[in-house]
Amino acid sequence: MRFLIESSNAPRALLGALALALVARLTLALLAPYAVSPDGVTNLEMARAIRDGRFADLSYFHPLYPTLIALLSPSKGTHEVAGRFLSLLFAVLTLFPLHSLARALADEAVAWRTVLIAALWPIHALHSVEVLNMAVYVFFVVAFLDSGWRSLRADADSNPRGLTASSLYLIAAYWTRPEAIGLWLLFLGAVSLTAFRRPHTGRFLARLRRLAVVAAIFLAGILPYALFLRWQTGVWTPSRYLTNITAHTSAQPERMLPHRIHNETVSTGYLLNGILNHAGGIATKYAVNLGRLILRWTPELFPLRVLAPVWLLIVAVGWLWFFSRGKRREWAWLAATTFASMSVVALHGGTSRYLLPILPALLIWLAAGLRRMEEGFLSKWTRIPALTVTACAIAGPFAIEPILREGLGARAYFPVELRLAGLELREAHSEIKTVLARKPQVGFYAGIPTAAPSMWTPDGIRAAFPVGATDVALAVDERDTLELFPDLAIFLHDPPPQGWRILVEQREPPAIRILAPVPPADSNDEGDG
């Protein structure tokens, strides 16, 4: 916890950044209309299962974040608040190791610029108020980057506590998200380089032992979860999430691996065998996924996508600053960890949310670039860090984008219509016990299970309803369902299809409608009339 000790005497810029981060995130959490995401629903259901001791029902997400929710919230009704509070808390705390890391890799001027920008950086602020494990994971990643760099910079056998602390941060990151495995492999390689760099020295065996200790600590840390997965699923795998999603995406569209649903666990051996048998095709798909992450989703990490080339240009200037100061190893540490994180995500694809772990490196490079440009172009006219202030001014409004959207009457940032529909369904139609929906939010807020038909077509939906069923409903929304399955528009049109009745309806975009079959008695009455 070196970064907390060193930051206790932090400069005013760090304290100001902490205040800005807290104010921006609290404002967003308290004023922006919110509804949990599908992954958030899964985390909350896992927290409920942990609280009730139903460990066999745990999903394929890693358990640290749901466990913290279960420990923090005494009842089911407070799980959502606890999940958002944990995300906000860890997001603000991330500024401490981020400041320490930037100072160790660059200098104090870059460090305070980094945390000031991070405090108002939109994508980090938005995920700081969601029921998602990304804010917790990013905290442990940044803490590992800081501790890992300091332990590598010192002699391996003179700083055993640093190596141990780095391994513990990685274990915590692994229990939060599986992508930490990629960072551990990188760290193992980096420690190996320090051990074998001077093999003729008398301390070679001691360094070799340190390497074994780093490997042993991490493997011992993940063993309990691997044993749990073996008990739960009957197969050996370090992560149901990573192996299942990788197998699923590797099968699309080439069908090189059999399609597996999330609830069916894919063993590591099965996955590796499939990859070896179809190495060429999967390598091509991996390269495509990696290219998509770089070209499509990395620009989403920056505010105002149209300015993404400008942001990336400043990042490139930051690279030049590192090289001009002789900080090649520092740059390489950030570059290697960035590539390690992106490489694991590329196994299964993803969106900008999955790239949040590379944001600290981008912000440090961005801060270094701003400093270099301010020193080169503005020092003659003013001592005010004008470019840094401008970057914060651009990022600030986007950090509270959901509030601004509501004020401008635009479509809500979060799917609040699903929350409202679920709450209305629970209050007005307690007879409904199951809802068919593409996303689980309606069922979650209604307090009932969510199911899915075998096919999302009108005929597939009708076939999913038992004959004479009166306790099953269908939720169709404009935001998600119709974008993927336009044939279902008949359930949103007026009048509803014959034999269906409307339970809940919201006409304002994005429209949503919850329907149920007309009860048999009502159908007979209509026929007699």
Side-chain angles (χ1 to χ4, degrees), residues 396-430:
F398 290 94
I400 55 172
E401 181 182 357
I403 300 175
L404 298 179
R405 281 196 184 194
E406 184 187 24
L408 295 173
R411 188 164 103 166
Y413 186 89
F414 300 109
V416 292
E417 71 279 358
L418 301 182
R419 177 188 190 125
L420 296 175
L423 293 175
E424 184 176 347
L425 180 66
R426 182 176 65 183
E427 294 175 0
H429 298 278
S430 58

PDB file of all heavy atoms in Angstrom, residues 396-430:
ATOM      1  N   GLY A 396     -14.986  17.469 -19.036  1.00  0.00           N
ATOM      2  CA  GLY A 396     -15.930  17.643 -17.937  1.00  0.00           C
ATOM      3  C   GLY A 396     -17.391  17.450 -18.292  1.00  0.00           C
ATOM      4  O   GLY A 396     -18.088  16.654 -17.643  1.00  0.00           O
ATOM      5  N   PRO A 397     -17.906  18.140 -19.318  1.00  0.00           N
ATOM      6  CA  PRO A 397     -19.337  17.951 -19.645  1.00  0.00           C
ATOM      7  C   PRO A 397     -19.690  16.515 -20.014  1.00  0.00           C
ATOM      8  O   PRO A 397     -20.790  16.046 -19.708  1.00  0.00           O
ATOM      9  CB  PRO A 397     -19.539  18.895 -20.837  1.00  0.00           C
ATOM     10  CG  PRO A 397     -18.465  19.922 -20.695  1.00  0.00           C
ATOM     11  CD  PRO A 397     -17.290  19.192 -20.118  1.00  0.00           C
ATOM     12  N   PHE A 398     -18.772  15.806 -20.681  1.00  0.00           N
ATOM     13  CA  PHE A 398     -19.068  14.437 -21.059  1.00  0.00           C
ATOM     14  C   PHE A 398     -19.050  13.492 -19.853  1.00  0.00           C
ATOM     15  O   PHE A 398     -19.611  12.404 -19.913  1.00  0.00           O
ATOM     16  CB  PHE A 398     -18.073  13.956 -22.119  1.00  0.00           C
ATOM     17  CG  PHE A 398     -18.259  14.622 -23.450  1.00  0.00           C
ATOM     18  CD1 PHE A 398     -17.531  15.747 -23.787  1.00  0.00           C
ATOM     19  CD2 PHE A 398     -19.182  14.132 -24.366  1.00  0.00           C
ATOM     20  CE1 PHE A 398     -17.695  16.374 -25.008  1.00  0.00           C
ATOM     21  CE2 PHE A 398     -19.361  14.749 -25.589  1.00  0.00           C
ATOM     22  CZ  PHE A 398     -18.629  15.876 -25.910  1.00  0.00           C
ATOM     23  N   ALA A 399     -18.400  13.906 -18.770  1.00  0.00           N
ATOM     24  CA  ALA A 399     -18.394  13.082 -17.561  1.00  0.00           C
ATOM     25  C   ALA A 399     -19.776  13.020 -16.920  1.00  0.00           C
ATOM     26  O   ALA A 399     -20.073  12.092 -16.169  1.00  0.00           O
ATOM     27  CB  ALA A 399     -17.371  13.623 -16.566  1.00  0.00           C
ATOM     28  N   ILE A 400     -20.619  14.006 -17.194  1.00  0.00           N
ATOM     29  CA  ILE A 400     -21.999  14.000 -16.677  1.00  0.00           C
ATOM     30  C   ILE A 400     -22.984  13.953 -17.842  1.00  0.00           C
ATOM     31  O   ILE A 400     -24.078  14.521 -17.774  1.00  0.00           O
ATOM     32  CB  ILE A 400     -22.259  15.225 -15.784  1.00  0.00           C
ATOM     33  CG1 ILE A 400     -21.947  16.525 -16.525  1.00  0.00           C
ATOM     34  CG2 ILE A 400     -21.449  15.138 -14.501  1.00  0.00           C
ATOM     35  CD1 ILE A 400     -22.362  17.773 -15.749  1.00  0.00           C
ATOM     36  N   GLU A 401     -22.607  13.257 -18.900  1.00  0.00           N
ATOM     37  CA  GLU A 401     -23.430  13.194 -20.114  1.00  0.00           C
ATOM     38  C   GLU A 401     -24.858  12.720 -19.858  1.00  0.00           C
ATOM     39  O   GLU A 401     -25.798  13.275 -20.440  1.00  0.00           O
ATOM     40  CB  GLU A 401     -22.749  12.301 -21.152  1.00  0.00           C
ATOM     41  CG  GLU A 401     -23.526  12.193 -22.449  1.00  0.00           C
ATOM     42  CD  GLU A 401     -22.856  11.263 -23.439  1.00  0.00           C
ATOM     43  OE1 GLU A 401     -21.757  10.750 -23.130  1.00  0.00           O
ATOM     44  OE2 GLU A 401     -23.423  11.043 -24.514  1.00  0.00           O
ATOM     45  N   PRO A 402     -25.090  11.688 -19.021  1.00  0.00           N
ATOM     46  CA  PRO A 402     -26.480  11.268 -18.803  1.00  0.00           C
ATOM     47  C   PRO A 402     -27.372  12.383 -18.273  1.00  0.00           C
ATOM     48  O   PRO A 402     -28.550  12.465 -18.628  1.00  0.00           O
ATOM     49  CB  PRO A 402     -26.332  10.133 -17.780  1.00  0.00           C
ATOM     50  CG  PRO A 402     -24.964   9.591 -18.019  1.00  0.00           C
ATOM     51  CD  PRO A 402     -24.138  10.791 -18.359  1.00  0.00           C
ATOM     52  N   ILE A 403     -26.840  13.259 -17.413  1.00  0.00           N
ATOM     53  CA  ILE A 403     -27.632  14.370 -16.886  1.00  0.00           C
ATOM     54  C   ILE A 403     -27.939  15.370 -17.990  1.00  0.00           C
ATOM     55  O   ILE A 403     -29.065  15.869 -18.115  1.00  0.00           O
ATOM     56  CB  ILE A 403     -26.879  15.050 -15.727  1.00  0.00           C
ATOM     57  CG1 ILE A 403     -26.632  14.053 -14.601  1.00  0.00           C
ATOM     58  CG2 ILE A 403     -27.661  16.252 -15.214  1.00  0.00           C
ATOM     59  CD1 ILE A 403     -25.794  14.606 -13.477  1.00  0.00           C
ATOM     60  N   LEU A 404     -26.931  15.662 -18.814  1.00  0.00           N
ATOM     61  CA  LEU A 404     -27.141  16.616 -19.909  1.00  0.00           C
ATOM     62  C   LEU A 404     -28.126  16.070 -20.936  1.00  0.00           C
ATOM     63  O   LEU A 404     -28.936  16.819 -21.488  1.00  0.00           O
ATOM     64  CB  LEU A 404     -25.800  16.933 -20.579  1.00  0.00           C
ATOM     65  CG  LEU A 404     -24.752  17.604 -19.674  1.00  0.00           C
ATOM     66  CD1 LEU A 404     -23.469  17.850 -20.453  1.00  0.00           C
ATOM     67  CD2 LEU A 404     -25.286  18.904 -19.101  1.00  0.00           C
ATOM     68  N   ARG A 405     -28.061  14.783 -21.197  1.00  0.00           N
ATOM     69  CA  ARG A 405     -29.013  14.185 -22.146  1.00  0.00           C
ATOM     70  C   ARG A 405     -30.443  14.385 -21.680  1.00  0.00           C
ATOM     71  O   ARG A 405     -31.319  14.734 -22.464  1.00  0.00           O
ATOM     72  CB  ARG A 405     -28.725  12.686 -22.296  1.00  0.00           C
ATOM     73  CG  ARG A 405     -27.575  12.340 -23.202  1.00  0.00           C
ATOM     74  CD  ARG A 405     -27.658  10.878 -23.562  1.00  0.00           C
ATOM     75  NE  ARG A 405     -26.535  10.455 -24.365  1.00  0.00           N
ATOM     76  CZ  ARG A 405     -26.499   9.307 -25.034  1.00  0.00           C
ATOM     77  NH1 ARG A 405     -27.535   8.490 -24.993  1.00  0.00           N
ATOM     78  NH2 ARG A 405     -25.449   8.966 -25.740  1.00  0.00           N
ATOM     79  N   GLU A 406     -30.671  14.133 -20.395  1.00  0.00           N
ATOM     80  CA  GLU A 406     -32.023  14.275 -19.877  1.00  0.00           C
ATOM     81  C   GLU A 406     -32.473  15.733 -19.976  1.00  0.00           C
ATOM     82  O   GLU A 406     -33.617  16.032 -20.329  1.00  0.00           O
ATOM     83  CB  GLU A 406     -32.083  13.801 -18.426  1.00  0.00           C
ATOM     84  CG  GLU A 406     -33.502  13.824 -17.859  1.00  0.00           C
ATOM     85  CD  GLU A 406     -33.521  13.511 -16.379  1.00  0.00           C
ATOM     86  OE1 GLU A 406     -32.496  13.729 -15.712  1.00  0.00           O
ATOM     87  OE2 GLU A 406     -34.572  13.075 -15.898  1.00  0.00           O
ATOM     88  N   GLY A 407     -31.563  16.664 -19.672  1.00  0.00           N
ATOM     89  CA  GLY A 407     -31.915  18.070 -19.750  1.00  0.00           C
ATOM     90  C   GLY A 407     -32.244  18.524 -21.161  1.00  0.00           C
ATOM     91  O   GLY A 407     -33.072  19.422 -21.354  1.00  0.00           O
ATOM     92  N   LEU A 408     -31.597  17.899 -22.152  1.00  0.00           N
ATOM     93  CA  LEU A 408     -31.845  18.261 -23.549  1.00  0.00           C
ATOM     94  C   LEU A 408     -32.983  17.457 -24.170  1.00  0.00           C
ATOM     95  O   LEU A 408     -33.309  17.639 -25.341  1.00  0.00           O
ATOM     96  CB  LEU A 408     -30.562  18.045 -24.372  1.00  0.00           C
ATOM     97  CG  LEU A 408     -29.380  18.942 -23.994  1.00  0.00           C
ATOM     98  CD1 LEU A 408     -28.133  18.519 -24.764  1.00  0.00           C
ATOM     99  CD2 LEU A 408     -29.705  20.410 -24.265  1.00  0.00           C
ATOM    100  N   GLY A 409     -33.559  16.548 -23.393  1.00  0.00           N
ATOM    101  CA  GLY A 409     -34.660  15.744 -23.904  1.00  0.00           C
ATOM    102  C   GLY A 409     -34.235  14.629 -24.834  1.00  0.00           C
ATOM    103  O   GLY A 409     -35.066  14.070 -25.556  1.00  0.00           O
ATOM    104  N   ALA A 410     -32.951  14.270 -24.842  1.00  0.00           N
ATOM    105  CA  ALA A 410     -32.470  13.194 -25.705  1.00  0.00           C
ATOM    106  C   ALA A 410     -32.735  11.841 -25.055  1.00  0.00           C
ATOM    107  O   ALA A 410     -33.155  11.746 -23.897  1.00  0.00           O
ATOM    108  CB  ALA A 410     -30.974  13.367 -25.976  1.00  0.00           C
ATOM    109  N   ARG A 411     -32.477  10.785 -25.835  1.00  0.00           N
ATOM    110  CA  ARG A 411     -32.677   9.432 -25.328  1.00  0.00           C
ATOM    111  C   ARG A 411     -31.765   9.193 -24.134  1.00  0.00           C
ATOM    112  O   ARG A 411     -30.591   9.533 -24.154  1.00  0.00           O
ATOM    113  CB  ARG A 411     -32.365   8.414 -26.423  1.00  0.00           C
ATOM    114  CG  ARG A 411     -32.726   6.988 -26.033  1.00  0.00           C
ATOM    115  CD  ARG A 411     -32.764   6.121 -27.268  1.00  0.00           C
ATOM    116  NE  ARG A 411     -31.587   5.288 -27.382  1.00  0.00           N
ATOM    117  CZ  ARG A 411     -31.490   4.249 -28.214  1.00  0.00           C
ATOM    118  NH1 ARG A 411     -32.498   3.952 -29.003  1.00  0.00           N
ATOM    119  NH2 ARG A 411     -30.397   3.532 -28.285  1.00  0.00           N
ATOM    120  N   ALA A 412     -32.305   8.604 -23.068  1.00  0.00           N
ATOM    121  CA  ALA A 412     -31.548   8.403 -21.839  1.00  0.00           C
ATOM    122  C   ALA A 412     -30.312   7.550 -22.104  1.00  0.00           C
ATOM    123  O   ALA A 412     -30.322   6.649 -22.944  1.00  0.00           O
ATOM    124  CB  ALA A 412     -32.429   7.752 -20.779  1.00  0.00           C
ATOM    125  N   TYR A 413     -29.258   7.856 -21.368  1.00  0.00           N
ATOM    126  CA  TYR A 413     -28.008   7.115 -21.532  1.00  0.00           C
ATOM    127  C   TYR A 413     -28.173   5.678 -21.062  1.00  0.00           C
ATOM    128  O   TYR A 413     -27.737   4.741 -21.716  1.00  0.00           O
ATOM    129  CB  TYR A 413     -26.896   7.819 -20.745  1.00  0.00           C
ATOM    130  CG  TYR A 413     -25.528   7.226 -20.942  1.00  0.00           C
ATOM    131  CD1 TYR A 413     -24.705   7.672 -21.978  1.00  0.00           C
ATOM    132  CD2 TYR A 413     -25.048   6.232 -20.113  1.00  0.00           C
ATOM    133  CE1 TYR A 413     -23.447   7.143 -22.168  1.00  0.00           C
ATOM    134  CE2 TYR A 413     -23.800   5.684 -20.290  1.00  0.00           C
ATOM    135  CZ  TYR A 413     -23.003   6.141 -21.314  1.00  0.00           C
ATOM    136  OH  TYR A 413     -21.753   5.591 -21.497  1.00  0.00           O
ATOM    137  N   PHE A 414     -28.794   5.489 -19.910  1.00  0.00           N
ATOM    138  CA  PHE A 414     -29.055   4.160 -19.361  1.00  0.00           C
ATOM    139  C   PHE A 414     -30.482   3.732 -19.743  1.00  0.00           C
ATOM    140  O   PHE A 414     -31.363   4.575 -19.938  1.00  0.00           O
ATOM    141  CB  PHE A 414     -28.885   4.156 -17.848  1.00  0.00           C
ATOM    142  CG  PHE A 414     -27.504   4.540 -17.387  1.00  0.00           C
ATOM    143  CD1 PHE A 414     -27.283   5.760 -16.766  1.00  0.00           C
ATOM    144  CD2 PHE A 414     -26.427   3.690 -17.592  1.00  0.00           C
ATOM    145  CE1 PHE A 414     -26.010   6.130 -16.340  1.00  0.00           C
ATOM    146  CE2 PHE A 414     -25.154   4.048 -17.169  1.00  0.00           C
ATOM    147  CZ  PHE A 414     -24.943   5.267 -16.550  1.00  0.00           C
ATOM    148  N   PRO A 415     -30.744   2.427 -19.839  1.00  0.00           N
ATOM    149  CA  PRO A 415     -32.076   1.955 -20.259  1.00  0.00           C
ATOM    150  C   PRO A 415     -33.110   2.079 -19.145  1.00  0.00           C
ATOM    151  O   PRO A 415     -33.645   1.087 -18.647  1.00  0.00           O
ATOM    152  CB  PRO A 415     -31.812   0.490 -20.635  1.00  0.00           C
ATOM    153  CG  PRO A 415     -30.667   0.082 -19.769  1.00  0.00           C
ATOM    154  CD  PRO A 415     -29.801   1.308 -19.638  1.00  0.00           C
ATOM    155  N   VAL A 416     -33.407   3.308 -18.757  1.00  0.00           N
ATOM    156  CA  VAL A 416     -34.317   3.518 -17.635  1.00  0.00           C
ATOM    157  C   VAL A 416     -35.736   3.071 -17.973  1.00  0.00           C
ATOM    158  O   VAL A 416     -36.529   2.781 -17.067  1.00  0.00           O
ATOM    159  CB  VAL A 416     -34.309   4.999 -17.198  1.00  0.00           C
ATOM    160  CG1 VAL A 416     -32.980   5.372 -16.592  1.00  0.00           C
ATOM    161  CG2 VAL A 416     -34.633   5.911 -18.368  1.00  0.00           C
ATOM    162  N   GLU A 417     -36.081   3.014 -19.261  1.00  0.00           N
ATOM    163  CA  GLU A 417     -37.430   2.582 -19.615  1.00  0.00           C
ATOM    164  C   GLU A 417     -37.673   1.137 -19.184  1.00  0.00           C
ATOM    165  O   GLU A 417     -38.801   0.754 -18.840  1.00  0.00           O
ATOM    166  CB  GLU A 417     -37.663   2.743 -21.120  1.00  0.00           C
ATOM    167  CG  GLU A 417     -36.914   1.776 -22.017  1.00  0.00           C
ATOM    168  CD  GLU A 417     -35.477   2.197 -22.263  1.00  0.00           C
ATOM    169  OE1 GLU A 417     -35.064   3.273 -21.768  1.00  0.00           O
ATOM    170  OE2 GLU A 417     -34.768   1.456 -22.965  1.00  0.00           O
ATOM    171  N   LEU A 418     -36.617   0.315 -19.177  1.00  0.00           N
ATOM    172  CA  LEU A 418     -36.764  -1.070 -18.730  1.00  0.00           C
ATOM    173  C   LEU A 418     -37.021  -1.120 -17.224  1.00  0.00           C
ATOM    174  O   LEU A 418     -37.800  -1.948 -16.741  1.00  0.00           O
ATOM    175  CB  LEU A 418     -35.514  -1.876 -19.087  1.00  0.00           C
ATOM    176  CG  LEU A 418     -35.149  -1.956 -20.572  1.00  0.00           C
ATOM    177  CD1 LEU A 418     -33.914  -2.816 -20.777  1.00  0.00           C
ATOM    178  CD2 LEU A 418     -36.315  -2.511 -21.386  1.00  0.00           C
ATOM    179  N   ARG A 419     -36.357  -0.247 -16.505  1.00  0.00           N
ATOM    180  CA  ARG A 419     -36.575  -0.187 -15.053  1.00  0.00           C
ATOM    181  C   ARG A 419     -38.014   0.232 -14.751  1.00  0.00           C
ATOM    182  O   ARG A 419     -38.694  -0.403 -13.927  1.00  0.00           O
ATOM    183  CB  ARG A 419     -35.594   0.801 -14.432  1.00  0.00           C
ATOM    184  CG  ARG A 419     -35.785   0.990 -12.932  1.00  0.00           C
ATOM    185  CD  ARG A 419     -34.922   2.112 -12.388  1.00  0.00           C
ATOM    186  NE  ARG A 419     -34.950   2.110 -10.935  1.00  0.00           N
ATOM    187  CZ  ARG A 419     -33.896   2.048 -10.156  1.00  0.00           C
ATOM    188  NH1 ARG A 419     -32.685   1.978 -10.700  1.00  0.00           N
ATOM    189  NH2 ARG A 419     -34.008   2.048  -8.848  1.00  0.00           N
ATOM    190  N   LEU A 420     -38.478   1.293 -15.397  1.00  0.00           N
ATOM    191  CA  LEU A 420     -39.829   1.788 -15.135  1.00  0.00           C
ATOM    192  C   LEU A 420     -40.881   0.749 -15.506  1.00  0.00           C
ATOM    193  O   LEU A 420     -41.869   0.565 -14.787  1.00  0.00           O
ATOM    194  CB  LEU A 420     -40.054   3.085 -15.905  1.00  0.00           C
ATOM    195  CG  LEU A 420     -39.161   4.266 -15.507  1.00  0.00           C
ATOM    196  CD1 LEU A 420     -39.410   5.445 -16.434  1.00  0.00           C
ATOM    197  CD2 LEU A 420     -39.409   4.655 -14.060  1.00  0.00           C
ATOM    198  N   ALA A 421     -40.663   0.070 -16.635  1.00  0.00           N
ATOM    199  CA  ALA A 421     -41.625  -0.949 -17.054  1.00  0.00           C
ATOM    200  C   ALA A 421     -41.655  -2.113 -16.070  1.00  0.00           C
ATOM    201  O   ALA A 421     -42.726  -2.640 -15.742  1.00  0.00           O
ATOM    202  CB  ALA A 421     -41.273  -1.441 -18.454  1.00  0.00           C
ATOM    203  N   GLY A 422     -40.486  -2.527 -15.591  1.00  0.00           N
ATOM    204  CA  GLY A 422     -40.441  -3.616 -14.620  1.00  0.00           C
ATOM    205  C   GLY A 422     -41.120  -3.259 -13.320  1.00  0.00           C
ATOM    206  O   GLY A 422     -41.860  -4.067 -12.740  1.00  0.00           O
ATOM    207  N   LEU A 423     -40.902  -2.043 -12.838  1.00  0.00           N
ATOM    208  CA  LEU A 423     -41.549  -1.617 -11.597  1.00  0.00           C
ATOM    209  C   LEU A 423     -43.065  -1.533 -11.756  1.00  0.00           C
ATOM    210  O   LEU A 423     -43.824  -1.930 -10.859  1.00  0.00           O
ATOM    211  CB  LEU A 423     -40.990  -0.259 -11.170  1.00  0.00           C
ATOM    212  CG  LEU A 423     -39.515  -0.244 -10.748  1.00  0.00           C
ATOM    213  CD1 LEU A 423     -39.059   1.182 -10.469  1.00  0.00           C
ATOM    214  CD2 LEU A 423     -39.282  -1.127  -9.522  1.00  0.00           C
ATOM    215  N   GLU A 424     -43.525  -1.030 -12.914  1.00  0.00           N
ATOM    216  CA  GLU A 424     -44.971  -0.955 -13.145  1.00  0.00           C
ATOM    217  C   GLU A 424     -45.580  -2.344 -13.254  1.00  0.00           C
ATOM    218  O   GLU A 424     -46.684  -2.594 -12.758  1.00  0.00           O
ATOM    219  CB  GLU A 424     -45.254  -0.153 -14.419  1.00  0.00           C
ATOM    220  CG  GLU A 424     -46.736   0.058 -14.683  1.00  0.00           C
ATOM    221  CD  GLU A 424     -46.986   0.929 -15.896  1.00  0.00           C
ATOM    222  OE1 GLU A 424     -46.031   1.568 -16.397  1.00  0.00           O
ATOM    223  OE2 GLU A 424     -48.154   0.970 -16.358  1.00  0.00           O
ATOM    224  N   LEU A 425     -44.854  -3.257 -13.894  1.00  0.00           N
ATOM    225  CA  LEU A 425     -45.359  -4.631 -14.003  1.00  0.00           C
ATOM    226  C   LEU A 425     -45.499  -5.262 -12.622  1.00  0.00           C
ATOM    227  O   LEU A 425     -46.494  -5.953 -12.340  1.00  0.00           O
ATOM    228  CB  LEU A 425     -44.410  -5.455 -14.872  1.00  0.00           C
ATOM    229  CG  LEU A 425     -44.788  -6.926 -15.086  1.00  0.00           C
ATOM    230  CD1 LEU A 425     -46.082  -7.033 -15.889  1.00  0.00           C
ATOM    231  CD2 LEU A 425     -43.662  -7.667 -15.803  1.00  0.00           C
ATOM    232  N   ARG A 426     -44.546  -5.033 -11.746  1.00  0.00           N
ATOM    233  CA  ARG A 426     -44.605  -5.611 -10.403  1.00  0.00           C
ATOM    234  C   ARG A 426     -45.772  -5.042  -9.597  1.00  0.00           C
ATOM    235  O   ARG A 426     -46.445  -5.765  -8.857  1.00  0.00           O
ATOM    236  CB  ARG A 426     -43.292  -5.338  -9.667  1.00  0.00           C
ATOM    237  CG  ARG A 426     -43.234  -5.955  -8.273  1.00  0.00           C
ATOM    238  CD  ARG A 426     -41.891  -5.729  -7.626  1.00  0.00           C
ATOM    239  NE  ARG A 426     -41.638  -4.307  -7.378  1.00  0.00           N
ATOM    240  CZ  ARG A 426     -40.502  -3.845  -6.877  1.00  0.00           C
ATOM    241  NH1 ARG A 426     -39.504  -4.681  -6.598  1.00  0.00           N
ATOM    242  NH2 ARG A 426     -40.350  -2.543  -6.676  1.00  0.00           N
ATOM    243  N   GLU A 427     -46.032  -3.749  -9.759  1.00  0.00           N
ATOM    244  CA  GLU A 427     -47.089  -3.126  -8.967  1.00  0.00           C
ATOM    245  C   GLU A 427     -48.486  -3.422  -9.496  1.00  0.00           C
ATOM    246  O   GLU A 427     -49.422  -3.607  -8.720  1.00  0.00           O
ATOM    247  CB  GLU A 427     -46.853  -1.608  -8.941  1.00  0.00           C
ATOM    248  CG  GLU A 427     -45.587  -1.193  -8.214  1.00  0.00           C
ATOM    249  CD  GLU A 427     -45.329   0.300  -8.304  1.00  0.00           C
ATOM    250  OE1 GLU A 427     -46.169   0.984  -8.944  1.00  0.00           O
ATOM    251  OE2 GLU A 427     -44.319   0.776  -7.767  1.00  0.00           O
ATOM    252  N   ALA A 428     -48.640  -3.478 -10.824  1.00  0.00           N
ATOM    253  CA  ALA A 428     -49.989  -3.562 -11.406  1.00  0.00           C
ATOM    254  C   ALA A 428     -50.393  -4.979 -11.804  1.00  0.00           C
ATOM    255  O   ALA A 428     -51.583  -5.245 -11.991  1.00  0.00           O
ATOM    256  CB  ALA A 428     -50.084  -2.646 -12.625  1.00  0.00           C
ATOM    257  N   HIS A 429     -49.431  -5.873 -11.968  1.00  0.00           N
ATOM    258  CA  HIS A 429     -49.765  -7.216 -12.468  1.00  0.00           C
ATOM    259  C   HIS A 429     -48.954  -8.254 -11.709  1.00  0.00           C
ATOM    260  O   HIS A 429     -48.047  -8.904 -12.237  1.00  0.00           O
ATOM    261  CB  HIS A 429     -49.474  -7.308 -13.970  1.00  0.00           C
ATOM    262  CG  HIS A 429     -50.276  -6.358 -14.803  1.00  0.00           C
ATOM    263  ND1 HIS A 429     -51.575  -6.629 -15.183  1.00  0.00           N
ATOM    264  CD2 HIS A 429     -49.971  -5.129 -15.307  1.00  0.00           C
ATOM    265  CE1 HIS A 429     -52.033  -5.613 -15.894  1.00  0.00           C
ATOM    266  NE2 HIS A 429     -51.090  -4.699 -15.992  1.00  0.00           N
ATOM    267  N   SER A 430     -49.310  -8.422 -10.459  1.00  0.00           N
ATOM    268  CA  SER A 430     -48.594  -9.384  -9.609  1.00  0.00           C
ATOM    269  C   SER A 430     -48.841 -10.830 -10.038  1.00  0.00           C
ATOM    270  O   SER A 430     -48.149 -11.738  -9.583  1.00  0.00           O
ATOM    271  CB  SER A 430     -49.011  -9.200  -8.153  1.00  0.00           C
ATOM    272  OG  SER A 430     -50.423  -9.376  -8.012  1.00  0.00           O
TER     273      SER A 430
END
